[in-house]
């Protein structure tokens, strides 16, 4: 078992009404004999409930046992999944989870600047740490599947795209004020369309996308 589990653990966990509603919907997607396949969605339900109740999105050990009971599987099958996937936090984290993608496309588009801006704005000195005020935890993650709008900073479940140092610092300050800026491209890109808004190869509306990309500061 991961040593990440050696922390102060709550003694009890029970799904609340909101989680029960989500679980009912999730389990309806699986044949009853295959409900073990719902282990990852249920771990997300646990994490989200912990966030609602404690402002820290993590999965306590006792909650893994509750998931195992609900899915009628051995607890070890839940532990091994929760400790394998990096999106599950096995210890308490800050109220906002800053996850910077540093895989090659994001790195080429400036993820180092995003990491540095996160540290500057939160006072965090090392990836994996939580800020002294308990508001932010900074993690480095692998490709988030949104490379077209690199670099990506994921905050909890939201993707903030086309980030740079200034937009990262502004985002963190807004979160600190209790605001939740609109996720998505932070430079006005439409979904993952080219930066210059060209949407057809027949009738170019502006410069080529590569020229447009070079113009991004
Ligand atoms: S490399 Fe960062 S989203 Fe794919």
């Amino acid at each position: 078992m991961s040593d990440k589990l050696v922390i102060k653990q709550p003694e009890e966990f029970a799904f609340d009404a909101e989680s029960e509603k989500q679980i009912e919907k999730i389990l309806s997607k699986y044949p009853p004999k295959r409900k073990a396949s719902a282990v990852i969605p249920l771990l997300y339900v646990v994490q989200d409930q912990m966030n609602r109740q404690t402002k820290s999105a993590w999965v306590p050990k006792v909650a893994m046992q509750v998931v195992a009971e609900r899915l009628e599987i051995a607890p070890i099958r839940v532990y091994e999944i929760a400790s394998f996937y990096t999106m599950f936090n096995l210890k308490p984290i800050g109220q906002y989870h800053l996850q910077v993608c540093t895989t090659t496309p994001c790195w080429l588009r400036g993820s180092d600047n995003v990491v540095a801006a996160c540290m500057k704005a939160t006072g965090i000195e090392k990836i994996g740490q939580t800020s002294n005020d308990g508001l932010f935890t900074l993690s480095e993650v692998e490709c988030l599947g949104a490379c077209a709008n690199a670099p990506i900073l994921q905050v909890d479940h939201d993707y903030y795209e086309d980030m740079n140092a200034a937009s990262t610092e502004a985002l963190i300050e807004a979160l600190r004020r209790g605001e939740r800026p609109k996720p998505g491209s932070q430079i006005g890109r439409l979904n993952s369309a080219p930066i210059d808004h060209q949407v057809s190869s027949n009738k170019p509306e502006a410069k080529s996308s590569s020229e447009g990309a070079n113009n991004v500061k």
Side-chain angles (χ1 to χ4, degrees), residues 23-172:
I23 291 169
E24 192 183 343
K25 203 166 160 194
I26 291 165
L27 291 182
S28 71
K29 297 176 185 168
Y30 300 91
K33 282 188 179 168
R34 296 278 183 263
K35 63 181 175 182
S37 302
V39 63
I40 286 180
L42 258 62
L43 285 170
Y44 271 122
V45 170
V46 168
Q47 199 158 260
D48 288 343
Q49 179 175 322
M50 288 299 289
N51 196 24
R52 283 197 303 279
Q53 294 178 336
T54 69
K55 290 194 187 309
S56 177
W58 69 293
V59 182
K61 193 174 160 192
V62 67
M64 296 183 211
Q65 285 159 356
V66 171
V67 169
E69 280 161 25
R70 183 62 64 97
L71 298 179
E72 298 179 89
I73 56 178
I76 186 63
R77 292 185 62 193
V78 183
Y79 299 156
E80 62 193 10
I81 289 168
S83 57
F84 178 80
Y85 289 105
T86 57
M87 61 270 202
F88 298 119
N89 305 304
L90 304 189
K91 60 181 182 183
I93 63 165
Q95 184 177 343
Y96 302 103
H97 193 188
L98 308 175
Q99 300 160 82
V100 185
C101 172
T102 56
T103 303
T104 311
C106 282
W107 177 70
L108 285 170
R109 296 270 298 167
S111 62
D112 284 354
N113 297 334
V114 177
V115 171
C118 285
M119 290 179 169
K120 185 178 164 204
T122 61
I124 290 171
E125 292 173 351
K126 237 170 69 182
I127 284 173
Q129 283 182 342
T130 296
S131 57
N132 289 338
D133 57 13
L135 279 180
F136 302 98
T137 295
L138 177 60
S139 299
E140 183 179 35
V141 295
E142 300 298 329
C143 180
L144 292 168
C147 322
N149 294 5
I152 308 298
L153 167 57
Q154 182 179 354
V155 181
D156 307 330
H157 292 306
D158 293 331
Y159 277 22
Y160 291 90
E161 305 160 1
D162 293 310
M163 298 301 285
N164 58 27
S167 56
T168 299
E169 286 185 42
L171 170 61
I172 290 170

